[in-house]
Amino acid sequence: MQLIQQDPDLSAYLDSDEVIDHHHPLVRETATRLAGDAKDSYDYARRAFEFVRDTIPHSQDTGDPRVTWRASDVLGRRTGICHAKAHALTALLRAEVIPTALCYQRFDVLHGLVAVRFDGSWHRQDSRGNKPGVDARFSLGGEQLAFRPDRAAGEADLPELYAAPHPAVLAALKAADDREQLWATLPAAL
């Protein structure tokens, strides 16, 4: 699939905002710790991916009703759905000057993931969290995502790469009082 950069300016994929708050002390502290003795930016990116995937449980898997959406809150509260976890990973990667985009897959609701830019190309990564039947891995040599869309069922990989969360997704995250309400209001399309 050909990924489409929505903003032609690559620096947009390094920006910080209220969601991707990579200048927040907790994000900076976490990034510094993960960078530790990383050999290079690829090694750091893999470490950040595995940290978000493995240490921040997906709230649906654990039954956690809390809704997080800001990267620093996801890291602090240690919970979030796929979109929130994608925001946290994006902030950690951008904190170390790795261009990172937000992207989506369409199932019964939108699924959130990221794309990282290495060697002049974008590579999608899914930090959702593994469980039986889900084995997402960091890879630049072929995607190893949590889910594969069933095109016959109308599911799809959406090719657009966003510098900021899509407004429809962010509005649902911000408005939800709990995960159950969020699940009922997450958009199914962009």
Side-chain angles (χ1 to χ4, degrees), residues 51-165:
F51 174 81
V52 172
R53 182 194 66 191
D54 299 341
T55 71
I56 301 171
H58 191 288
S59 59
Q60 177 149 349
D61 294 348
T62 62
D64 191 329
R66 297 175 294 167
V67 175
T68 55
W69 52 270
R70 182 178 287 118
S72 57
D73 289 339
V74 175
L75 294 174
R77 294 181 180 181
R78 290 283 216 246
T79 190
I81 66 166
C82 58
H83 300 286
K85 291 180 68 159
H87 299 166
L89 180 56
T90 298
L92 289 171
L93 294 172
R94 289 182 183 181
E96 292 296 315
V97 198
I98 298 170
T100 308
L102 295 156
C103 49
Y104 304 94
Q105 292 176 310
R106 186 180 65 235
F107 298 102
D108 55 333
V109 295
L110 290 176
H111 174 61
L113 49 150
V114 306
V116 295
R117 184 134 176 122
F118 277 102
D119 302 325
S121 298
W122 289 102
H123 307 271
R124 292 188 310 163
Q125 312 295 327
D126 192 343
S127 61
R128 181 231 178 266
N130 290 340
K131 63 180 188 172
V134 175
D135 187 24
R137 299 192 180 272
F138 188 83
S139 175
L140 302 183
E143 294 181 337
Q144 295 184 359
L145 306 177
F147 308 111
R148 296 273 178 219
D150 177 353
R151 295 190 194 326
E155 298 172 349
D157 284 312
L158 304 179
E160 295 83 7
L161 301 175
Y162 297 91

Side-chain angles (χ1 to χ4, degrees), residues 9-78:
D9 183 358
L10 191 59
S11 69
Y13 298 91
L14 294 169
D15 284 347
S16 181
D17 59 27
E18 75 167 329
V19 179
I20 312 300
D21 57 344
H22 65 76
H23 296 299
H24 187 280
L26 179 57
V27 177
R28 292 292 330 145
E29 174 188 312
T30 305
T32 299
R33 184 169 31 83
L34 291 170
D37 60 350
K39 296 177 282 188
D40 53 26
S41 59
Y42 173 83
D43 189 37
Y44 171 79
R46 182 190 50 76
R47 288 174 185 213
F49 169 84
E50 290 173 355
F51 174 81
V52 172
R53 182 194 66 191
D54 299 341
T55 71
I56 301 171
H58 191 288
S59 59
Q60 177 149 349
D61 294 348
T62 62
D64 191 329
R66 297 175 294 167
V67 175
T68 55
W69 52 270
R70 182 178 287 118
S72 57
D73 289 339
V74 175
L75 294 174
R77 294 181 180 181
R78 290 283 216 246

